[in-house]
Amino acid sequence: MFSVKYLRIVCLSRAAPHSHWPKASRLSVCKPVLSSSHCFTTNTLQNSTVDFTAPGKQSELCFCFNQVFRNCSTCQVKVNCWNCKQVLDKELTFFCRSCKVVQPSDDGTTFFKIMDCDHSFTVDVQKLQRRYLQLQRSLHPDNFSQKSAREQEYSESQSALVNKAYTTLLKPLSRGLYMLELEGMGIDEGTESGADSDFLMELMEINEALHEAQTPDEASKIGHDMKARLVELTEQIDTALQKGELQAAKALLAQMKYYTNIEEKVKEKLSEFM
Amino acid sequence: MAGGLARKCGSALWSLTRRLSAPEFFTQCCYHSKVLDHYENPRNVGSLDKTSKNVGTGLVGAPACGDVMKLQIEVDDQGKIVDARFKTFGCGSAIASSSLATEWIKGKTVDEALMIKNTDIAQELCLPPVKLHCSMLAEDAIKSALANYRFKQNSGQQGAGQTSSETKPSET
């Protein structure tokens, strides 16, 4: 057995930033990291082109290693602990099993994996919340105030990622949009030129009625109506996603966005009455 | 007097349904003063008679952000836009874009109004890149209103009951 330098790939899949909405395009960035490991006797390092572009650059890095790396975006590679160099035994590891040190966040994994949920529109919210608390109890930066700078940095990124995963999966709208994003689909920023004009008119009327509401009861009534519509939409979106009808799910999620906005305005209106 | 003023301010502010909440404020790091001006003093808020043959109604939505915009125009017999009104439920940039749009199209002919581009609106309001879609919404609302007006005019010429081959009208 002899030690060989291996190129460890940590792949980051990241959607382009958007203030409200995830965009359809996904950027895959591979960040190569050199690490020592015991060799895999069947593998040989061939000459390959490696671009040590700093992470965060929007470019795809091409590697030509045989056998070890199948696909940059899936990254089925052995990952080593940065501290003790032991192989991390699972794809998603927050702490090294050997030295118990916090590991860098894996931005290439899905929120469903992070939160230990089935990749489904239906999510057990209570389980999600328990998982969130469990993870933050161990990952929160407050636990690392006496640790090294590197550990603090990893704790911050892990904690932030868990926050993002939790908030995305908690609400049906963001969860559904995230699922579309994973399929390479998103809602465009543009105008809905093909929208049903009756639907838009109805939205205008509801918004106007809410604006003109004189009593909390009037506003609450609209709020209840929106809630009922959102429940119905949630079921329809679940069905569409289960069947793989992404376009239908996209249209339904757009409707959900409009109704969710009105629901938020109801809350604002009710707070004005107080 | 004070009550009347309050009512006037209230009615003028009816379309401003999304306040600049703290998260939005810090995310966008300040709206431009022109946007704030239109947000706090929107021009031409209201409605026109949708049943009138000389009124075109444009109704558009932005599914990404959930904004809804209605823009109406009243055109005289010479094809000049004599009045314009809007109602927008959305962010400050969307409200400002539609307010500015109604200001601009007043006094223009139907053909001149068609020339208004979202980039002009965005430039005038100094909209940041993340809010460019709001100006696009306003441009589409103008076009939708003009299309509806044309449809009504053509329907009137062809006779009642016949449908137009033009774009689907956004009638209210």
Side-chain angles (χ1 to χ4, degrees):
Chain A
M1 207 62 121
F2 55 94
S3 292
V4 175
K5 286 282 183 192
Y6 265 85
L7 211 65
R8 177 163 66 90
I9 307 264
V10 177
C11 284
L12 310 172
S13 287
R14 163 155 66 82
H18 188 297
S19 61
H20 294 290
W21 247 197
K23 284 198 177 162
S25 63
R26 294 171 65 202
L27 309 174
S28 292
V29 176
C30 289
K31 179 178 72 177
V33 176
L34 279 173
S35 67
S36 295
S37 173
H38 294 297
C39 80
F40 299 97
T41 54
T42 57
N43 290 330
T44 54
L45 278 174
Q46 292 180 349
N47 288 332
S48 56
T49 306
V50 176
D51 178 7
F52 284 84
T53 307
K57 296 279 182 184
Q58 296 179 7
S59 60
E60 298 228 1
L61 307 179
C62 297
F63 300 90
C64 303
F65 289 99
N66 65 341
Q67 294 181 344
V68 179
F69 306 107
R70 290 197 180 87
N71 186 330
C72 275
S73 62
T74 57
C75 279
Q76 298 186 14
V77 299
K78 296 267 185 212
V79 181
N80 294 69
C81 171
W82 61 272
N83 186 45
C84 66
K85 315 304 176 195
Q86 290 297 311
V87 173
L88 298 173
D89 56 355
K90 279 191 286 190
E91 192 182 314
L92 177 67
T93 309
F94 297 104
F95 295 91
C96 174
R97 186 187 270 254
S98 295
C99 63
K100 314 293 182 199
V101 159
V102 65
Q103 299 300 306
S105 59
D106 180 6
D107 293 337
T109 190
T110 68
F111 293 162
F112 291 102
K113 284 187 180 158
I114 291 171
M115 304 308 290
D116 192 26
C117 291
D118 293 333
H119 188 131
S120 154
F121 187 63
T122 310
V123 154
D124 182 342
V125 173
Q126 286 187 347
K127 183 188 169 193
L128 179 73
Q129 287 171 333
R130 282 196 300 270
R131 172 71 171 171
Y132 170 70
L133 291 173
Q134 175 209 353
L135 286 175
Q136 290 293 17
R137 268 192 209 107
S138 54
L139 290 169
H140 196 275
D142 284 352
N143 300 333
F144 294 82
S145 57
Q146 304 301 317
K147 303 285 186 181
S148 68
R150 193 166 175 178
E151 285 175 271
Q152 287 180 13
E153 181 194 325
Y154 289 158
S155 143
E156 280 173 20
S157 63
Q158 288 278 24
S159 186
L161 186 60
V162 167
N163 274 340
K164 193 172 171 192
Y166 173 67
T167 53
T168 300
L169 296 184
L170 186 62
K171 300 287 182 191
L173 178 60
S174 51
R175 192 188 315 139
L177 292 169
Y178 176 68
M179 289 179 73
L180 281 188
E181 183 196 339
L182 289 177
E183 300 297 328
M185 191 184 280
I187 295 188
D188 299 326
E189 267 188 350
T191 312
E192 207 168 16
S193 54
D196 181 3
S197 61
D198 289 337
F199 173 68
L200 289 176
M201 192 59 229
E202 190 190 16
L203 289 174
M204 288 294 299
E205 287 170 357
I206 296 170
N207 273 296
E208 286 169 8
L210 179 60
H211 173 77
E212 289 161 11
Q214 300 288 322
T215 65
D217 284 343
E218 287 178 34
S220 292
K221 187 171 174 297
I222 296 171
H224 290 316
D225 182 25
M226 290 301 103
K227 219 182 236 352
R229 292 185 196 221
L230 286 169
V231 165
E232 193 185 331
L233 272 174
T234 303
E235 290 171 10
Q236 291 173 349
I237 292 166
D238 188 25
T239 304
L241 285 172
Q242 280 187 27
K243 289 181 182 173
E245 293 167 1
L246 298 181
Q247 287 294 343
K250 183 176 164 180
L252 291 167
L253 283 163
Q255 287 186 30
M256 185 177 256
K257 177 64 182 170
Y258 287 117
Y259 289 137
T260 302
N261 277 7
I262 296 175
E263 206 184 26
E264 286 171 15
K265 286 167 193 167
V266 166
K267 288 178 191 165
E268 287 176 15
K269 186 78 176 180
L270 286 173
S271 67
E272 286 172 18
F273 283 122
M274 290 178 185
Chain B
M1 174 84 168
L5 182 62
R7 270 195 299 278
K8 189 179 174 187
C9 288
S11 64
L13 288 170
W14 69 266
S15 63
L16 309 179
T17 51
R18 188 179 296 181
R19 296 196 202 97
L20 289 170
S21 61
E24 264 185 306
F25 183 82
F26 287 115
T27 301
Q28 296 170 33
C29 195
C30 299
Y31 282 94
H32 193 273
S33 58
K34 288 183 182 177
V35 173
L36 284 173
D37 179 36
H38 280 274
Y39 183 82
E40 289 170 2
N41 306 295
R43 286 69 148 158
N44 307 311
V45 171
S47 293
L48 297 170
D49 179 10
K50 63 186 179 188
T51 60
S52 168
K53 194 170 75 72
N54 292 336
V55 169
T57 299
L59 194 50
V60 293
C65 55
D67 291 350
V68 190
M69 187 184 288
K70 181 173 81 170
L71 192 145
Q72 291 179 296
I73 54 170
E74 184 177 351
V75 186
D76 65 11
D77 296 333
Q78 282 74 49
K80 191 170 143 187
I81 297 170
V82 293
D83 200 5
R85 292 276 186 261
F86 84 96
K87 281 187 182 182
T88 295
F89 293 96
C91 67
S93 297
I95 293 164
S97 296
S98 44
S99 172
L100 183 69
T102 56
E103 266 194 322
W104 276 2
I105 59 179
K106 269 187 179 177
K108 284 189 164 60
T109 65
V110 170
D111 290 329
E112 286 167 351
L114 266 176
M115 305 298 293
I116 292 175
K117 293 278 172 260
N118 69 305
T119 45
D120 302 327
I121 297 171
Q123 195 172 14
E124 174 65 22
L125 294 172
C126 304
L127 295 181
V130 72
K131 287 295 183 182
L132 285 179
H133 66 279
C134 296
S135 62
M136 194 67 231
L137 194 65
E139 181 191 325
D140 287 346
I142 294 173
K143 289 187 160 55
S144 177
L146 291 167
N148 181 240
Y149 167 74
R150 284 217 150 97
F151 173 80
K152 279 183 170 180
Q153 293 295 304
N154 290 344
S155 296
Q157 285 170 9
Q158 290 168 10
Q162 286 184 321
T163 55
S164 166
S165 60
E166 284 191 15
T167 52
K168 183 180 173 185
S170 304
E171 294 233 32
T172 58

